[in-house]
């Protein structure tokens, strides 16, 4: 009797497996790669990051785009795709220079900066403090489908 109960319990546990999200495993690896959030680079002045909801929407949009098409067609469509937070022009809009000194002004304060390249790390730390990362809504952008017509067939 104990052996039968143990076998039944093992069968039930095997059927239940674990509580992983089945959709997580079914996302096309190309879409996972496209929709990955990258840490923003200070040197490019991009501080916001895409929200988790944006990542999920990106994965759904991407999956719909490559569903039911050949691998080469799907790869062509994703070749020039991008998914990133909107660009912030830190230096063009927020750098104020007077009397030989410059200040970068941001939503969380300001920092004095030097015109020479010797304070790169201090400048980056300053920028991170006055332009903290925010989660924002992002949308993927894809190449024009007509650029893939040779691989995907007619688009008319």
């Amino acid at each position: 009797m104990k052996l039968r109960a143990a076998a039944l319990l093992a069968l039930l546990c095997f059927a239940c497996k674990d509580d992983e999200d089945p959709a997580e495993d079914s996302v096309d690896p190309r879409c996972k790669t496209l929709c990955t959030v990258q840490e923003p680079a200070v040197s490019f002045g991009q501080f916001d990051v895409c929200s988790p909801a944006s990542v999920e929407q990106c994965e759904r949009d991407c999956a719909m785009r490559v569903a039911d098409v050949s691998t080469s067609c799907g790869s062509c469509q994703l070749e020039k795709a991008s998914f990133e937070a909107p660009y912030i022009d830190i230096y063009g809009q927020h750098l104020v220079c007077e009397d030989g000194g410059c200040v970068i002004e941001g939503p969380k304060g300001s920092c004095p900066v030097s015109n020479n390249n010797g304070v790169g790390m201090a400048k980056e730390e300053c920028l991170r403090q006055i332009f903290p990362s925010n989660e924002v809504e992002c949308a993927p952008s894809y190449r024009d489908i007509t650029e893939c017509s040779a691989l995907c067939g007619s688009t008319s």
Side-chain angles (χ1 to χ4, degrees), residues 39-42 47 123-133:
E39 179 65 26
V42 172
F47 298 93
K123 187 186 299 183
E124 285 188 13
E125 183 58 34
C126 168
L127 290 172
R128 287 198 187 281
Q129 288 178 18
I130 64 173
F131 289 97
S133 280

Side-chain angles (χ1 to χ4, degrees), residues 37-106:
V37 175
Q38 302 295 324
E39 179 65 26
V42 172
S43 60
F44 295 118
Q46 184 172 343
F47 298 93
D48 293 337
V49 294
C50 298
S51 70
S54 292
V55 171
E56 291 174 11
Q57 185 62 46
C58 175
E59 289 175 351
R60 283 192 297 271
D61 291 348
C62 177
M64 286 180 14
R65 197 170 256 282
V66 299
D68 302 323
V69 298
S70 69
T71 302
S72 57
C73 174
S75 293
C76 179
Q77 292 183 59
L78 298 179
E79 189 174 295
K80 295 182 181 177
S82 66
F83 177 69
E84 56 195 18
Y87 179 78
I88 301 171
D89 180 6
I90 299 297
Y91 299 107
Q93 296 179 7
H94 302 279
L95 183 65
V96 178
C97 295
E98 294 178 357
D99 298 329
C102 297
V103 173
I104 299 176
E105 298 174 344

